[in-house]
Amino acid sequence: MERTWWKEGVVYQIYPRSFQDSNGDGIGDLRGILSRLDYLQRLGVTILWLSPVYRSPNYDNGYDISDYYAIMPEFGTMADWEDLLAEVHRRGMRLIMDLVVNHTSDEHPWFIASRDRESPYRGYYIWRPGKEDGREPNNWASEFGGSAWEFDEASGEYYLHLFSRRQPDLNWENRSLRLDIYRMMTWWLEKGIDGFRMDVINLISKDQTLPDAKRESPGSPAWGRKFYRNGPRLQYFLREMHAKVLSKYDIMTVGETPGVDPDKAQALAGEDRHELSMVFQFQLLEIDYEAGDKWKIVPWKLSDFKKIISSWQDGLEGTGWNSLFLNNHDQPRAVSRFGDDTVFRVQSAKMLATLTHTLQGTPYIYQGEEIGMTNVRFPEISSYRDIDTLNFYEEGLRSGLSREEVLKTIWARGRDNARTPIPWDETENGGFTSGAPWLNLNPNYAEINVKKSLNEPDSVFYYYQRLIELRKERRLLVYGDYHLLLPEDEQVFAYLRTPRIRGGRCFTEKQLEEVKKVEEELFRDTGKEMILVVLNFSAQPATFVLPEKAAFSIYHLLLCNYPTGQEAPLRLELRPFEARVYTLEACP
């Protein structure tokens, strides 16, 4: 397994609009980010991922780009961006940019020109005539609700938009388009960036026959996902991109790839594939979705949670690389979703952080996660800004749900949960802005803010700082093998990180005998250090017992999210959401 800087790094995602405002207009900006770089350096992160700052009408908060070569005026100027890049590099950190090339804004010059059927840009987008009855070319549904097709009066045809109608999909089958995209990517890399996070990159290849989708159930949306996720020419396009652009620079690339499994991820990001460095997978974050619909919430079990993580840890072992995250700008806050955001907020935030920083892969921290920020419960829909949330509110009411039922779902699932501005202190608007914020802060900002976190030695912030230091100190946490223990336990998630002794293998309930054999092999492996991670995923006390074959001469407690002694990890009585990390050395 090759060592690289991006495997050993820790990424911090910045959502610029909500990070720090510098000019009082209520919108976070580049100068605001620059003013907080010392804070990020103090945290210990090494890579900054900047969500889109390109020129945009901002219909979908910057993911609708109208000019790839310009900065959105609300965020500042290109000179501001260049200053930010220079200061990031001066501090020994790296900067990756968001690459949004599945679609553009409908205000992009390419799309405006494409409305003319005779324009050479017509082929840059997916235009089709309607069916004989004038209806849409097929029955695909937009990810944001409604049809994935919009009729354009000027040209008399429909264009495809897998997201908002203001975000027409690009036609990657068009070679001129691809070359224009590669030129743009090269332009940014020549300016000195260190890589790209690629937005929904596995949607760029569509089945060109555009067949109708089968509905999951009567009245359900016809997603069409099987025809546009991981399409027939996806890997051809990525290999071409790698050959023409990516291979010429020492960079990292991470693809947002909904709907992939470990086998597909290995094909896209295998170390010998010449495509991507790693992918974002969403199997884990869809654990409580019903039939892939995030607005339909179902209970989840820890045993299933462990199965998904183990399938990725073992499935990419030695051949690919994992991205490790529970939060981002599209997801609710993890501490509210997988932990306890009230009584045990601090403990569960630390426990979840322990998970993402002690598995094999590159950890991603989403802004505010490091201080334990929670979901928000705005009582009125007028307080929300996210287009997906607003669409769901209207559709939910039309479907017969009450206002209270719709809001309750939004409180659990809405994207604005992650987008409330960062509270830097307890002053008005949390020190985020001197004006009126574009989105209200979470009302709990007087209790949960950066200043308070920095003033409390036992805060979530300092726990994250220690986790980042631990990964730097213990390369075993970066490159070591992963071995799941107790796969059926519904309270405790425990695993070992060991020197590499095997290839990828996933432990499920059907393979318990194999697990036992592996455990025996590990504990016979005299003299090799191992790291044991034990996590209580519940608000109730739990008991952890090491396997009977466990025998070790040395143990050391590296980290715990409670004040604790140095108990030997043979049998642990765990407190609610307790996390412990030990080093073990096997006996002869």
Side-chain angles (χ1 to χ4, degrees):
M1 182 183 295
E2 182 184 1
R3 286 187 61 176
T4 65
W5 59 265
W6 44 265
K7 288 177 181 176
E8 297 175 10
V10 175
V11 183
Y12 188 95
Q13 182 190 355
I14 296 174
Y15 194 71
R17 180 167 293 271
S18 297
F19 193 68
Q20 175 68 73
D21 175 25
S22 70
N23 60 7
D25 66 356
I27 298 168
D29 49 42
L30 294 170
R31 287 282 159 193
I33 297 168
L34 200 154
S35 72
R36 298 296 185 179
L37 289 181
D38 288 344
Y39 165 78
L40 298 175
Q41 186 176 27
R42 180 175 180 178
L43 179 61
V45 296
T46 56
I47 304 162
L48 304 185
W49 154 25
L50 203 59
S51 288
V53 293
Y54 313 98
R55 188 181 297 276
S56 165
N58 216 34
Y59 191 70
D60 186 27
N61 285 348
Y63 284 89
D64 49 325
I65 296 169
S66 57
D67 187 344
Y68 288 108
Y69 294 90
I71 298 297
M72 192 189 305
E74 291 176 332
F75 291 149
T77 66
M78 186 61 74
D80 293 332
W81 181 89
E82 289 168 348
D83 287 347
L84 175 64
L85 178 66
E87 287 300 312
V88 167
H89 284 167
R90 188 176 70 81
R91 288 167 172 79
M93 298 186 288
R94 300 178 190 249
L95 184 72
I96 66 171
M97 294 283 281
D98 228 305
L99 183 74
V100 187
V101 289
N102 174 70
H103 49 266
T104 68
S105 165
D106 62 354
E107 296 184 23
H108 195 290
W110 294 344
F111 185 74
I112 294 170
S114 81
R115 286 187 151 134
D116 178 355
R117 290 198 189 198
E118 303 304 317
S119 169
Y121 290 100
R122 184 72 170 181
Y124 276 37
Y125 296 86
I126 302 172
W127 290 95
R128 292 291 188 277
K131 293 182 177 179
E132 290 183 4
D133 60 2
R135 292 182 62 80
E136 294 87 348
N138 66 26
N139 67 351
W140 293 1
S142 162
E143 297 284 340
F144 285 175
S147 173
W149 295 93
E150 182 75 9
F151 185 71
D152 181 64
E153 294 283 352
S155 60
E157 288 190 337
Y158 289 87
Y159 63 85
L160 181 69
H161 61 91
L162 295 180
F163 297 92
S164 160
R165 65 180 179 82
R166 303 289 306 273
Q167 295 168 290
D169 277 54
L170 290 164
N171 177 21
W172 273 71
E173 298 296 330
N174 185 293
R175 186 170 184 273
S176 294
L177 164 77
R178 299 200 305 274
L179 293 178
D180 269 344
I181 288 173
Y182 301 153
R183 277 190 283 271
M184 176 269 292
M185 295 172 66
T186 299
W187 187 83
W188 282 103
L189 288 165
E190 286 297 312
K191 289 184 79 67
I193 68 170
D194 301 290
F196 294 105
R197 176 267 185 184
M198 301 182 180
D199 187 65
V200 292
I201 196 65
N202 67 324
L203 308 191
I204 61 176
S205 173
K206 283 82 171 173
D207 183 331
Q208 293 299 294
T209 64
L210 300 176
D212 278 336
K214 183 179 179 181
R215 296 183 185 276
E216 297 292 333
S217 61
S220 68
W223 291 114
R225 287 169 173 164
K226 67 180 289 188
F227 303 115
Y228 61 73
R229 285 183 173 181
N230 309 311
R233 295 238 292 164
L234 171 63
Q235 291 187 252
Y236 173 85
F237 296 149
L238 291 178
R239 284 194 294 271
E240 182 183 71
M241 179 192 291
H242 188 275
K244 292 188 177 296
V245 183
L246 306 178
S247 62
K248 300 174 183 179
Y249 301 89
D250 178 21
I251 58 173
M252 68 169 278
T253 54
V254 54
E256 182 190 29
T257 54
V260 301
D261 59 20
D263 288 340
K264 186 62 180 176
Q266 196 174 81
L268 294 172
E271 295 206 346
D272 60 345
R273 300 295 299 184
H274 307 298
E275 294 177 34
L276 302 173
S277 305
M278 67 187 97
V279 302
F280 287 143
Q281 58 88 6
F282 295 94
Q283 281 188 321
L284 185 66
L285 295 185
E286 294 179 2
I287 192 171
D288 51 1
Y289 289 14
E290 182 179 296
D293 187 344
K294 76 174 187 179
W295 298 112
K296 295 180 179 178
I297 304 171
V298 295
W300 61 278
K301 295 195 306 180
L302 182 60
S303 56
D304 292 334
F305 190 96
K306 290 188 280 190
K307 275 184 194 176
I308 295 169
I309 287 180
S310 298
S311 71
W312 283 86
Q313 288 287 295
D314 294 319
L316 296 186
E317 168 61 41
T319 59
W321 196 249
N322 277 282
S323 58
L324 307 171
F325 68 102
L326 294 174
N327 298 265
N328 66 29
H329 63 290
D330 286 333
Q331 298 291 332
R333 292 285 180 180
V335 71
S336 298
R337 185 178 187 183
F338 299 119
D340 179 337
D341 63 9
T342 56
V343 177
F344 298 110
R345 180 185 66 86
V346 170
Q347 293 87 348
S348 61
K350 292 177 179 180
M351 184 275 292
L352 293 169
T354 309
L355 174 73
T356 54
H357 288 256
T358 58
L359 293 168
Q360 187 187 91
T362 299
Y364 288 72
I365 300 169
Y366 177 69
Q367 63 180 42
E369 176 186 336
E370 77 282 4
I371 60 170
M373 286 183 69
T374 67
N375 283 354
V376 66
R377 294 188 172 196
F378 293 136
E380 301 294 337
I381 192 62
S382 59
S383 295
Y384 288 91
R385 299 289 178 266
D386 171 43
I387 181 177
D388 192 23
T389 297
L390 298 177
N391 286 347
F392 169 72
Y393 183 81
E394 296 299 329
E395 290 180 5
L397 294 181
R398 283 197 297 270
S399 72
L401 295 175
S402 69
R403 173 184 171 279
E404 291 71 23
E405 289 172 320
V406 176
L407 281 175
K408 184 177 180 181
T409 302
I410 289 171
W411 293 342
R413 279 285 190 269
R415 299 197 298 182
D416 282 340
N417 279 310
R419 299 176 182 184
T420 55
I422 296 293
W424 295 97
D425 55 41
E426 72 285 353
T427 62
E428 186 177 4
N429 294 323
F432 165 70
T433 181
S434 60
W438 75 276
L439 175 67
N440 289 337
L441 276 76
N442 193 316
N444 64 13
Y445 75 85
E447 176 64 25
I448 303 172
N449 61 66
V450 171
K451 180 181 177 182
K452 189 169 183 178
S453 294
L454 294 179
N455 288 336
E456 294 178 354
D458 196 36
S459 70
V460 177
F461 176 91
Y462 290 114
Y463 192 85
Y464 268 81
Q465 189 183 67
R466 178 59 186 136
L467 278 167
I468 294 169
E469 291 171 354
L470 195 61
R471 272 178 52 86
K472 292 175 182 176
E473 295 166 1
R474 306 274 177 169
R475 290 291 178 228
L476 189 58
L477 285 175
V478 180
Y479 295 109
D481 279 358
Y482 161 93
H483 300 274
L484 176 66
L485 306 173
L486 310 175
E488 294 181 298
D489 194 299
E490 297 295 352
Q491 278 187 279
V492 176
F493 191 170
Y495 47 93
L496 290 162
R497 301 298 310 282
T498 72
R500 298 191 66 210
I501 61 171
R502 50 96 176 164
R505 181 167 58 236
C506 176
F507 304 139
T508 68
E509 283 110 336
K510 295 181 180 179
Q511 297 170 308
L512 290 178
E513 291 304 315
E514 177 122 5
V515 171
K516 292 177 182 177
K517 291 177 183 177
V518 170
E519 289 168 356
E520 291 176 16
E521 176 185 356
L522 289 171
F523 287 112
R524 283 200 307 267
D525 198 6
T526 305
K528 287 190 176 180
E529 180 187 79
M530 298 174 284
I531 292 178
L532 170 68
V533 181
V534 184
L535 310 170
N536 181 3
F537 258 76
S538 79
Q540 305 301 320
T543 300
F544 168 75
V545 181
L546 267 175
E548 290 182 5
K549 295 289 181 180
F552 47 89
S553 55
I554 300 172
Y555 66 89
H556 177 64
L557 180 65
L558 293 174
L559 199 62
C560 181
N561 62 346
Y562 278 87
T564 187
Q566 184 74 336
E567 301 98 315
L570 291 170
R571 179 185 178 91
L572 297 175
E573 299 299 330
L574 300 169
R575 289 157 284 194
F577 296 104
E578 184 164 7
R580 292 198 181 206
V581 181
Y582 287 90
T583 57
L584 308 178
E585 187 174 316
C587 290

